[in-house]
Amino acid sequence: MSSSYRQSLTLARRFVVEQGGEIAPLSVSEEELNPDVQQDEATKAYPIEATTSPIKVQYAYPQDSLCSEFRFFEDGRQRTIQIAHIPTEYGSHLLMVPVHYFVVSAVILERVGRQLQLWGEPMIRKGVMVARSLIPNQEILAQIEAAGLLVEDTESKTVGSNDYYDLRRRALRRAKSLRLQYEQELISQWRESKESEDAFLVVDGTLMNMRDEKNVARCVGISKSFGSRYFDVTTHNRIMRLQEFERSWAFRFHADTSEDDPRLGVRERVSWYLRLRQGINVDPEFGLVRVEISKDYADNVGEFANRFSRSLLSDRLPTSYPAPRWDKHLYPIRECENYLGSIMAGISTITASMCG
Amino acid sequence: MTTDLNNASDTSRFINLAYGAIGRTASTRFEPTTSSKFLFWMAERGETHQRLTLEIGNIVVARADDGSDLTFGTVVEMRSYSDVDSFIADYLSHNFGDADIQVPTDISEVVVVTCNVMRNLSGETRPLGRSQAFFPSRLGIEFSYGIVDERGESLYLGAPIPIGIFENGDGTIAPISVDENFVVGPEGAHLNVSGISGLASKTSAVQFILKSLQAHTRKRIAIVMFNVKSRDLLYIDRANPRLATEQWSQRAYEAIGVPMSPFAAPRFFAPQNPSVPAATLSLRTQNVEAFSWDLTMIRDSIPNMFDAMDWDDKMEGLWYTIREQIERRNIVAYTQMLTFIEQTVQNVPQGNMWALNHHVATWQKMRARLQGLPRTFRGLIRTAGQGRDLPWNDLQSGSVFVIDIQMLQDKGKKLVFGRAMSEIDAMMESEDKNLDAVVVFVDELNKYAPSGNVRTPIKHTLIDITARGRGRGVVLFGAEQFASTVDREVIENSSTYLFGRTESNELRHPNYTTFSDEVKTKLTTLPQGQLLARFAKFAQPIFLKFPFPPCLPGDQYQPPGEA
């Protein structure tokens, strides 16, 4: 265990003990308990290209197997574990305030030749999440923060209650928010760097969460799971029946008028589906990814869709087998995950540190 | 002066910092670091991801992140891991079995290096913590083998005797020395070298080590070599012409302080040629001194010259009768002994089958066998006239004797070698000896001390000498193809052991169980000029290079007129 983790975990434990809390770490993270919370997708889409038939990507195998233009890959991870609860009196009620230990991180890998290496410094933050105002002894909280423990507030400032379950859910959302924030910071650094000129960054997952449009304009988001059907059943079935090396028509996630968009354009992205590989006796989504790029490319989206699809088809090898969803998981993205996994404290380390 | 472990500049003396870190140690759930072993993953160098030139047998030093210790280890295993979980995963990664496919991203791979702990700076026995791995400096290498202390001063009580050059993966070279007191006594003694024939490694290595011993010893040492095949040792008084052009060897001789010259004034001996009394049974034609033994010289050896099957109680009884005649000087020559037997048999009265209390048949058998010995031991037995023994009393500090027995049959070789060992042993037991040690080198040691239950007089002598010779300065340098064919006690009593290229079958023998599979694999392909050395005071064996021998290899000798 590195010294920075040791210090952070020691302070977290001290914080709980000195607040009169009870150390009671869970053996699973909030992310594992509530995987759906990380989903964030639009509900309606509008075709830009004709939906009548799939589009064959100009990708010749095996001659084009090294044709990928992508050199940069980004991913972020978060781990939020309830480590304790602090009983506190709130009026005539006794509240249980959950305390979470969190680690969020983000990394960009650069491909030089055929080798992956770190680009810049990965982001990593760790600390505890707790409803600040419910902490009984604010003086101790201040002391421990001064000693170096990062404390994030999970209290609702606007709507919603502060009961035990709400605070737990909010810890998870706060961790996600922090992760996205650090991912955005890292991507901004990359975008402003000399190395990134004329390059696109392949990002794991949707670009819907990105608020900085300058970043979005330089990213290609790859979604591996889809929870929504954006077109009528017949049209959507054409997507499900895409053949290897075929892509769908491009579409956008809101109409030309902003009236239909409840989030006022923040989800405005251009997207298409791409079949990376096909198999026998596999589900309809086997090898199917959804690619997202900035709305800035809507005018000549066909050109970009063909170009990026070609690169992604090249990057379908090597596979990430036996990782979950290996059929659509790009290997460099999995290496981002592996790297982050190696620098983040594991659940067993966190829970064991609390008990120790 | 003791090393301050918390002072980076102090510990840096042991590390090749200029080369940079070569990896980091890691202790995992399933492969933990122990007090005798540590593992590290190997770094890649530069933007080209160039692999380090680390290999089995290299020495590394792990510097604890908290500065608490330096731990030296020798590389015994290297494993390459990728994040490919199974063959099916890699198969899929190549588009379901397309072996020609090129992928845009190389699969992540890491080489994990296992090291056996040799020594640490703190002297404490404990697993190391998180550490950076480096190549050690020359001081670090010598320290790791316990050759020097932290200050670089010798830890040996005797003179350090270089036996080869260690070349580490970063190119650092260090002469590796053994303690004279463990080579020629009194703490330990004897050296053994094994390896397949034909690479000229064993003989060359021994010649080099003997030269090194001569150059560095503080003792009075004489050398006796037996030339058992071809011209191997017959030109050790001539310079090796290859040294004039071979720069690595030149640097090696300079580095270890050994003169690059042949042996000075060796004397060559060979059995007298019975057909041409002025000549010898040697392939060397000049300056070879003849030796042969008359009856008085070899009377004690005669029982050993018989086949074991022939030597029974009756023969032994009769031999005592004959020997009594020799001791009384009634018989002084070999032919006289045969005549005595002949006459004794002839003088037996008709109808009587006994003479001097022995049956006539025994007499006749003895006569027949003794008549055959001069042929079996051609050149060694002088049947008439005075013999000339090897001048053991001429041995003095710096003397080198080469005894050429390659033309003799195996029995003759054993007789000469056995007698020599006994004579030297007797000489070194005497109180007025003028030598501290006599080093005897013989190739094909397995002929003289074979493994197994075979008990022969010469084997018994060798076991006794290797067990107790270190105390009186009788030192055996033996060589053979396969260590498993030599008696276990002879091998185990050797303080220094050198392994050349060795066949895989041989490596299954218990002698090699301490080596990892990868060290064994390296032994099967060891190039000429390299050996694996095991020394009593080394915590781990070490792969060594040695230069070309200082003297002309016999197989490169060209007789005058043929050059």
Side-chain angles (χ1 to χ4, degrees):
Chain A
M1 186 164 59
S2 75
S3 57
S4 68
Y5 272 115
R6 186 179 297 135
Q7 185 197 17
S8 169
L9 287 163
T10 305
L11 286 172
R13 188 170 190 281
R14 198 180 119 200
F15 165 70
V16 173
V17 171
E18 292 185 7
Q19 293 291 352
E22 289 186 26
I23 299 285
L26 297 186
S27 58
V28 290
S29 67
E30 296 286 0
E31 286 80 4
E32 290 167 288
L33 289 170
N34 302 289
D36 295 341
V37 179
Q38 297 199 74
Q39 302 278 348
D40 187 8
E41 293 188 339
T43 55
K44 201 170 180 186
Y46 303 88
I48 306 174
E49 295 176 306
T51 61
T52 48
S53 59
I55 298 162
K56 185 83 179 166
V57 179
Q58 292 304 307
Y59 177 79
Y61 174 83
Q63 300 91 305
D64 291 340
S65 55
L66 291 176
C67 76
S68 175
E69 71 171 80
F70 298 129
R71 289 192 293 126
F72 297 95
F73 304 86
E74 190 275 341
D75 195 16
R77 283 183 78 172
Q78 62 184 70
R79 187 167 285 152
T80 318
I81 298 164
Q82 185 173 331
I83 53 171
H85 53 269
I86 301 172
T88 181
E89 288 180 359
Y90 191 76
S92 59
H93 305 287
L94 181 69
L95 287 183
M96 291 291 177
V97 181
V99 182
H100 287 81
Y101 188 84
F102 75 93
V103 189
V104 294
S105 59
V107 69
I108 291 176
L109 294 185
E110 180 181 6
R111 185 162 55 198
V112 179
R114 287 162 57 169
Q115 301 272 331
L116 294 170
Q117 62 185 40
L118 278 179
W119 178 88
E121 288 291 318
M123 291 274 185
I124 183 154
R125 296 289 183 277
K126 49 198 177 289
V128 295
M129 288 186 173
V130 71
R132 273 180 176 277
S133 70
L134 300 180
I135 297 302
N137 191 329
Q138 294 291 321
E139 198 174 321
I140 290 175
L141 173 62
Q143 284 173 6
I144 289 188
E145 277 191 282
L149 182 66
L150 180 62
V151 179
E152 290 289 337
D153 193 4
T154 55
E155 197 171 346
S156 171
K157 300 288 189 297
T158 54
V159 292
S161 64
N162 282 322
D163 76 9
Y164 179 77
Y165 300 104
D166 279 330
L167 290 171
R168 285 185 62 179
R169 272 192 292 276
R170 220 171 280 130
L172 179 53
R173 292 200 186 100
R174 181 75 189 122
K176 180 184 174 186
S177 170
L178 281 174
R179 170 175 62 80
L180 291 171
Q181 177 190 329
Y182 293 133
E183 283 191 72
Q184 285 300 293
E185 282 180 29
L186 186 62
I187 292 171
S188 295
Q189 286 175 21
W190 170 81
R191 175 172 51 78
E192 289 161 7
S193 71
K194 191 171 170 55
E195 300 97 300
S196 77
E197 278 178 3
D198 304 324
F200 281 85
L201 177 68
V202 179
V203 175
D204 188 34
T206 178
L207 304 183
M208 295 288 183
N209 296 310
M210 285 195 191
R211 302 291 181 256
D212 186 337
E213 288 299 320
K214 285 181 186 166
N215 284 352
V216 174
R218 300 286 299 283
C219 291
V220 178
I222 311 294
S223 289
K224 300 187 288 294
S225 59
F226 338 106
S228 306
R229 173 169 64 80
Y230 305 121
F231 304 98
D232 64 74
V233 174
T234 306
T235 309
H236 187 75
N237 280 344
R238 286 194 196 106
I239 293 171
M240 302 294 257
R241 292 183 173 203
L242 284 174
Q243 299 296 300
E244 192 174 48
F245 304 166
E246 283 183 353
R247 71 169 176 89
S248 74
W249 52 92
F251 51 91
R252 60 199 309 169
F253 277 114
H254 88 113
D256 290 337
T257 62
S258 61
E259 293 164 8
D260 293 340
D261 183 5
R263 293 181 63 175
L264 303 174
V266 295
R267 291 181 170 180
E268 188 172 356
R269 305 283 181 260
V270 175
S271 183
W272 67 92
Y273 287 89
L274 172 68
R275 180 78 74 183
L276 294 176
R277 57 171 55 86
Q278 216 152 19
I280 300 166
N281 296 332
V282 291
D283 69 281
E285 290 187 356
F286 182 83
L288 191 65
V289 294
R290 188 168 62 74
V291 188
E292 280 178 30
I293 56 175
S294 164
K295 65 183 178 184
D296 297 353
Y297 308 113
D299 291 344
N300 45 358
V301 67
E303 182 190 322
F304 279 97
N306 286 333
R307 172 181 154 190
F308 291 156
S309 295
R310 200 161 173 267
S311 287
L312 290 170
L313 286 171
S314 165
D315 261 316
R316 72 197 182 125
L317 298 176
T319 67
S320 301
Y321 184 88
R325 297 179 297 177
W326 67 269
D327 51 298
K328 49 184 89 180
H329 201 4
L330 298 183
Y331 182 81
I333 295 292
R334 192 183 70 148
E335 290 300 86
C336 289
E337 288 179 1
N338 284 342
Y339 175 77
L340 294 176
S342 72
I343 62 170
M344 294 170 72
I347 291 176
S348 56
T349 301
I350 294 169
T351 54
S353 301
M354 289 305 119
C355 296
Chain B
M1 184 180 80
T2 55
T3 299
D4 179 359
L5 289 171
N6 293 314
N7 184 340
S9 63
D10 204 13
T11 57
S12 66
R13 296 180 298 123
F14 298 90
I15 302 172
N16 181 358
L17 285 172
Y19 193 89
I22 59 172
R24 285 199 71 92
T25 64
S27 185
T28 69
R29 192 181 309 169
F30 300 111
E31 294 199 84
T33 292
T34 68
S35 56
S36 63
K37 181 185 81 171
F38 66 86
L39 298 95
F40 70 91
W41 49 258
M42 206 163 92
E44 293 178 338
R45 293 178 71 77
E47 293 182 353
T48 55
H49 299 273
Q50 185 188 346
R51 280 278 159 86
L52 299 169
T53 52
L54 187 76
E55 63 168 327
I56 298 293
N58 279 181
I59 299 170
V60 299
V61 54
R63 183 175 67 183
D65 287 351
D66 60 6
S68 60
D69 210 349
L70 289 182
T71 305
F72 296 85
T74 181
V75 176
V76 293
E77 188 177 68
M78 297 173 77
R79 283 173 288 175
S80 179
Y81 289 94
S82 75
D83 61 358
V84 176
D85 272 28
S86 63
F87 288 104
I88 192 75
D90 201 51
Y91 173 87
L92 296 178
S93 284
H94 288 79
N95 201 31
F96 295 84
D98 185 346
D100 294 324
I101 190 69
Q102 298 278 309
V103 292
T105 308
D106 283 339
I107 296 278
S108 297
E109 286 186 332
V110 59
V111 175
V112 175
V113 182
T114 306
C115 300
N116 281 350
V117 171
M118 304 162 73
R119 197 177 180 196
N120 58 10
L121 208 51
S122 68
E124 294 170 2
T125 307
R126 62 182 181 196
L128 52 75
R130 295 283 292 173
S131 307
Q132 271 184 302
F134 296 89
F135 283 116
S137 62
R138 176 175 162 170
L139 171 64
I141 293 169
E142 291 177 321
F143 177 83
S144 68
Y145 276 97
I147 297 169
V148 298
D149 63 11
E150 296 163 26
R151 297 163 296 184
E153 292 178 9
S154 176
L155 281 171
Y156 295 161
L157 293 175
I161 310 295
I163 58 168
I165 301 281
F166 174 75
E167 193 165 355
N168 218 2
D170 60 346
T172 301
I173 63 169
I176 297 299
S177 304
V178 291
D179 189 338
E180 176 186 39
N181 283 4
F182 281 78
V183 178
V184 294
E187 310 292 340
H190 318 301
L191 176 144
N192 191 279
V193 54
S194 65
I196 60 172
S197 295
L199 290 176
S201 284
K202 299 193 295 287
T203 308
S204 300
V206 170
Q207 285 181 6
F208 166 72
I209 292 168
L210 287 173
K211 277 293 289 185
S212 179
L213 183 64
Q214 281 188 325
H216 292 278
T217 185
R218 296 181 199 133
K219 299 176 190 276
R220 298 167 300 166
I221 290 175
I223 296 169
V224 177
M225 304 186 207
F226 286 88
N227 184 62
V228 298
K229 62 181 192 298
S230 187
R231 293 184 166 93
D232 276 4
L233 302 169
L234 295 185
Y235 299 99
I236 62 164
D237 56 342
R238 303 194 186 184
N240 185 352
R242 292 185 73 175
L243 279 177
T245 54
E246 220 282 311
Q247 292 186 351
W248 187 89
S249 290
Q250 291 170 5
R251 286 199 301 273
Y253 275 97
E254 190 179 345
I256 60 178
V258 173
M260 211 169 56
S261 56
F263 287 95
R267 289 173 69 180
F268 296 87
F269 302 91
Q272 190 170 46
N273 189 334
S275 310
V276 187
T280 60
L281 294 176
S282 176
L283 291 172
R284 183 181 164 108
T285 51
Q286 293 178 328
N287 299 326
V288 181
E289 300 173 50
F291 69 91
S292 62
W293 298 311
D294 60 37
L295 184 62
T296 56
M297 292 172 177
I298 57 162
R299 68 178 183 214
D300 292 341
S301 302
I302 282 181
N304 296 335
M305 297 161 82
F306 280 71
D307 283 337
M309 290 171 63
D310 290 334
W311 195 256
D312 54 18
D313 291 349
K314 289 179 281 186
M315 289 286 276
E316 188 165 356
L318 175 53
W319 172 248
Y320 278 117
T321 301
I322 298 169
R323 183 175 160 154
E324 190 179 351
Q325 298 298 319
I326 299 169
E327 286 170 351
R328 288 179 180 176
R329 308 291 295 174
N330 295 332
I331 299 172
V332 291
Y334 199 86
T335 47
Q336 207 178 359
M337 176 174 67
L338 296 176
T339 305
F340 166 73
I341 296 171
E342 184 72 34
Q343 287 174 347
T344 305
V345 172
Q346 284 176 359
N347 291 339
V348 174
Q350 197 134 21
N352 189 354
M353 299 302 287
W354 296 86
L356 300 178
N357 296 326
H358 301 283
H359 197 276
V360 170
T362 308
W363 280 101
Q364 287 169 336
K365 183 180 174 183
M366 178 66 82
R367 183 183 59 190
R369 298 297 180 271
L370 288 174
Q371 280 175 336
L373 289 183
R375 282 194 304 279
T376 305
F377 297 91
R378 184 170 179 265
L380 296 177
I381 299 174
R382 192 173 177 88
T383 53
Q386 198 168 9
R388 184 178 177 193
D389 204 353
L390 289 157
W392 299 118
N393 288 330
D394 290 355
L395 280 176
Q396 53 188 295
S397 184
S399 293
V400 178
F401 281 12
V402 178
I403 302 166
D404 184 10
I405 54 175
Q406 55 88 23
M407 281 195 182
L408 299 177
Q409 293 179 22
D410 277 357
K411 283 182 177 177
K413 289 176 180 172
K414 287 176 188 170
L415 177 67
V416 178
F417 181 64
R419 272 182 59 85
M421 292 306 288
S422 299
E423 295 281 343
I424 292 168
D425 196 36
M427 181 180 77
M428 294 303 289
E429 265 195 308
S430 68
E431 290 181 358
D432 59 344
K433 63 182 178 182
N434 58 359
L435 289 168
D436 294 314
V438 176
V439 178
V440 179
F441 168 51
V442 66
D443 199 353
E444 299 178 349
L445 183 60
N446 51 303
K447 284 185 178 171
Y448 312 105
S451 58
N453 294 324
V454 183
R455 302 300 292 184
T456 62
I458 188 171
K459 179 174 167 179
H460 178 79
T461 304
L462 286 174
I463 290 172
D464 183 64
I465 283 173
T466 50
R468 281 171 283 279
R470 63 190 165 94
R472 50 183 185 260
V474 183
V475 180
L476 178 66
F477 279 24
E480 67 283 325
Q481 279 209 65
F482 307 117
S484 64
T485 60
V486 176
D487 184 78
R488 190 171 55 87
E489 285 187 70
V490 173
I491 295 289
E492 289 178 354
N493 281 320
S494 298
S495 297
T496 310
Y497 204 110
L498 307 172
F499 302 86
R501 189 186 293 181
T502 308
E503 287 181 354
S504 51
N505 271 346
E506 168 70 5
L507 289 169
R508 295 195 186 104
H509 194 268
N511 283 355
Y512 307 89
T513 48
T514 54
F515 299 144
S516 71
D517 286 346
E518 296 206 30
V519 168
K520 288 180 187 173
T521 302
K522 184 164 177 171
L523 272 177
T524 62
T525 57
L526 208 57
Q528 190 172 10
Q530 288 192 33
L531 292 166
L532 178 66
R534 196 168 66 188
F535 176 59
K537 293 184 90 175
F538 290 169
Q540 295 291 334
I542 184 170
F543 283 99
L544 294 177
K545 288 174 80 172
F546 58 90
F548 282 123
C551 31
L552 181 67
D555 59 354
Q556 289 172 27
Y557 170 76
Q558 289 185 306
E562 292 180 19

